[in-house]
Amino acid sequence: MKRVRTKLVFLAILAISSAASAQDLTKLTPEELIRISSMEVFKGSIERPSTDLGPVSGVSCFRTGYFASNASEEDAINKMKYSAVKLSADAIKNAICIERAQIDWKRNCNATIVCAGVAVKYK
């Protein structure tokens, strides 16, 4: 009986944490949503004059079981864009995505796709 309760508590915590990340989009202003959808992501440097705002990253998680989900590069890039918008960035440069096939215990993922880059503000 104790094991069943422990599993139920664990599943409830996972559900709350998953719901919290989905609710973050509802906190964005209409302008921020537009900026996310139109934000450019460059794999290298950019020619346009800009100021670096700092590193940004996004993680997409592959899970199995009750909270099954597939990892995708598109999802990881969108999460990276979300971080960039929070810094008031116009674009992301030097973006790179890698697939990690090993278990990510911190995020409770069977595998992850991690994208990282530098948020920039155009001058």
Side-chain angles (χ1 to χ4, degrees):
M1 184 71 171
K2 191 172 184 176
R3 278 188 162 158
V4 171
R5 274 192 212 154
T6 303
K7 286 181 181 179
L8 288 174
V9 169
F10 179 71
L11 290 174
I13 290 169
L14 283 176
I16 291 167
S17 65
S18 296
S21 61
Q23 289 174 348
D24 287 344
L25 288 177
T26 64
K27 295 178 183 176
L28 293 176
T29 65
E31 293 79 18
E32 288 174 326
L33 289 169
I34 291 168
R35 286 188 24 233
I36 282 179
S37 65
S38 63
M39 184 175 287
E40 294 180 292
V41 178
F42 300 94
K43 295 197 183 246
S45 60
I46 56 176
E47 298 297 322
R48 189 170 174 180
S50 61
T51 303
D52 292 355
L53 300 177
V56 289
S57 63
V59 178
S60 183
C61 183
F62 169 71
R63 290 188 178 110
T64 58
Y66 190 74
F67 294 102
S69 65
N70 290 320
S72 72
E73 189 170 309
E74 180 184 8
D75 182 43
I77 288 171
N78 284 334
K79 289 176 180 175
M80 184 172 58
K81 286 180 176 183
Y82 176 87
S83 297
V85 161
K86 287 308 199 179
L87 294 175
S88 298
D90 295 317
I92 299 170
K93 70 176 184 178
N94 299 328
I96 186 169
C97 296
I98 59 168
E99 187 173 343
R100 300 183 67 210
Q102 69 262 26
I103 293 175
D104 183 339
W105 294 106
K106 180 180 176 183
R107 295 179 183 88
N108 190 34
C109 302
N110 296 55
T112 56
I113 295 175
V114 180
C115 293
V118 178
V120 297
K121 183 82 173 167
Y122 293 135
K123 292 183 178 179

